[in-house]
Amino acid sequence: MEEVKFITVRKLKEYFNFEQICGNEESLERPIMIADTNRPGLELAGYFDHSQLKRLVVLGDKEIAYIQTMSEHKQRKSFDFLTTAVTPAIIISKQYECPPLLKRIAKRKKFPIFVSSATTSRLIIDIVAFLDEQLAASDTLHGGLINIYGKGVLIRGESGMGKSEIALELVKRGHLLVADDRVDIYRIHNKIVGQPPEMLRGMLEIRGIGVINIQRMFGIASIVSKAEVALEICLMPWERNADYDRVGIENKKYDNLLGVEVPKIVIPVREGRSMAVIIESAVTNFILSEMGMDSAKEFEERVLQYIEENKRKEAALPTKQANTKKP
């Protein structure tokens, strides 16, 4: 069974430093399970069907202005509906004063209400972005994540393939280490973001040497806390009789990470090959292909053009021979 992710109202309050005007300590343990907010225009108007009660409620300019036009009876009915046991909290933007009746109902129910100085639109954007990251689908992968030319490159392969040694060489060449050995990935919208476990941040393990601190050896600019996974490179042992793609015109490969298709390149590892340089070249070629410059297609077009030219020459050859015959 898939684990249901949630954060508490307390974590939201502490992250944004909201001013709390209602609710007790127990109310701060309410779970937030949906990365979205509700501006309750319809609920204030008295329409309660199809309302998503598990969303955070945000009261902005329009809501506060409309509440001032409502009768006490309508306010009581709407406020009672908005302060259910499953609703995480109500947040009021722009330091607006909480409507007195809402405050009384919330205090009676020990329901959490917060006030923010942010504008309504900015408040919603910030909350949704925070919840998207906190509630994102996640997984843990064995491998390394390096920021190469601004692209997050996930390097995977069997144990003992030299992934950490390659990561060290790439860092020496000026690229940025995100994670080594273990990568925690999260799906945020339609992107996969990777980061290291807190304990392994900035660390890299080299067999025969042990764990080294990349930040201390190469400086703070040699690491980055997280990166979007744009490309996966899978290292595999070289097999003499294996049929490897030598041109790059075969069907593109992808790996499904948390439901997102990530481009994948398989590179055989063999003694004498500079894997750091090869991976740099693979990433550069990947960036060029994103810009519409596909080297494999260019080569294929050259081959086809060469074949066509030879056909034209062969077709023209008998005509020339016929024209040179004496009458």
Side-chain angles (χ1 to χ4, degrees):
M1 183 180 296
E2 185 179 353
E3 181 183 0
V4 178
K5 298 191 69 174
F6 71 91
I7 67 167
T8 62
V9 170
R10 183 188 303 278
K11 188 169 185 179
L12 181 80
K13 170 186 177 291
E14 292 175 350
Y15 182 84
F16 289 101
N17 196 27
F18 289 144
E19 176 190 351
Q20 183 174 355
I21 60 174
C22 288
N24 56 9
E25 285 296 310
E26 185 180 350
S27 71
L28 296 180
E29 300 305 317
R30 290 179 177 231
I32 304 173
M33 296 181 286
I34 298 178
D36 203 353
T37 60
N38 176 29
R39 294 191 68 176
L42 291 175
E43 290 87 344
L44 293 175
Y47 185 79
F48 303 132
D49 293 343
H50 310 294
S51 183
Q52 176 51 267
L53 296 175
K54 294 184 179 180
R55 293 180 182 177
L56 286 163
V57 174
V58 175
L59 300 181
D61 305 77
K62 293 180 180 179
E63 291 78 17
I64 295 297
Y66 184 76
I67 288 170
Q68 293 172 355
T69 68
M70 295 170 63
S71 67
E72 182 176 336
H73 173 72
K74 288 184 177 180
Q75 284 188 32
R76 187 179 301 278
K77 188 175 180 181
S78 294
F79 294 159
D80 191 58
F81 180 81
L82 292 174
T83 55
T84 65
V86 296
T87 303
I90 292 177
I91 305 167
I92 302 174
S93 67
K94 296 179 71 173
Q95 292 287 351
Y96 280 118
E97 184 180 351
C98 180
L101 183 56
L102 174 60
K103 194 170 185 179
R104 290 201 299 271
I105 292 174
K107 284 187 175 181
R108 175 171 54 83
K109 292 185 175 183
K110 298 181 175 59
F111 182 91
I113 297 180
F114 306 104
V115 175
S116 169
S117 60
T119 62
T120 310
S121 58
R122 184 75 262 166
L123 177 65
I124 292 174
I125 291 171
D126 289 345
I127 288 175
V128 171
F130 173 72
L131 293 179
D132 265 336
E133 187 168 338
Q134 295 294 317
L135 303 178
S138 62
D139 197 2
T140 297
L141 302 177
H142 177 66
L145 182 59
I146 311 292
N147 185 306
I148 303 175
Y149 300 133
K151 297 289 184 180
V153 181
L154 181 65
I155 302 176
R156 304 180 71 183
E158 299 175 6
S159 181
M161 293 296 295
K163 297 184 294 295
S164 295
E165 288 80 359
I166 293 170
L168 178 60
E169 182 63 27
L170 287 168
V171 171
K172 289 178 65 178
R173 296 175 68 88
H175 305 292
L176 308 179
L177 174 70
V178 182
D180 174 60
D181 192 52
R182 174 184 150 182
V183 184
D184 293 338
I185 61 170
Y186 303 85
R187 176 173 177 171
I188 301 177
H189 300 301
N190 289 322
K191 296 180 180 179
I192 301 298
V193 176
Q195 65 183 39
E198 190 61 36
M199 185 179 296
L200 302 178
R201 189 180 302 275
M203 299 292 184
L204 195 149
E205 179 190 359
I206 302 295
R207 284 180 173 82
I209 297 177
V211 177
I212 60 177
N213 190 316
I214 292 296
Q215 179 178 330
R216 290 180 181 174
M217 291 183 69
F218 299 98
I220 187 65
S222 63
I223 66 171
V224 64
S225 61
K226 58 185 175 181
E228 178 189 344
V229 179
L231 176 66
E232 177 182 335
I233 291 181
C234 183
L235 305 178
M236 60 180 297
W238 178 285
E239 296 181 13
R240 181 178 296 275
N241 298 323
D243 185 19
Y244 297 114
D245 183 11
R246 300 183 63 174
V247 179
I249 59 176
E250 295 183 2
N251 293 333
K252 304 295 184 182
K253 296 181 176 65
Y254 294 87
D255 196 2
N256 189 293
L257 302 178
L258 297 175
V260 177
E261 297 292 317
V262 176
K264 176 181 177 181
I265 300 175
V266 178
I267 299 179
V269 177
R270 186 181 185 182
E271 292 182 4
R273 303 187 86 195
S274 177
M275 296 309 300
V277 174
I278 291 172
I279 289 175
E280 276 185 338
S281 302
V283 175
T284 302
N285 197 52
F286 171 73
I287 294 172
L288 288 173
S289 67
E290 284 190 319
M291 298 169 64
M293 293 175 277
D294 195 319
S295 301
K297 288 183 179 178
E298 183 181 351
F299 177 72
E300 185 180 22
E301 289 171 1
R302 288 186 185 183
V303 171
L304 294 175
Q305 184 179 357
Y306 177 78
I307 293 172
E308 287 298 320
E309 289 178 356
N310 281 345
K311 285 182 178 180
R312 285 197 297 269
K313 289 179 182 179
E314 291 174 1
L317 187 59
T319 304
K320 289 181 179 179
Q321 289 177 345
N323 291 336
T324 56
K325 289 182 179 179
K326 293 181 180 180

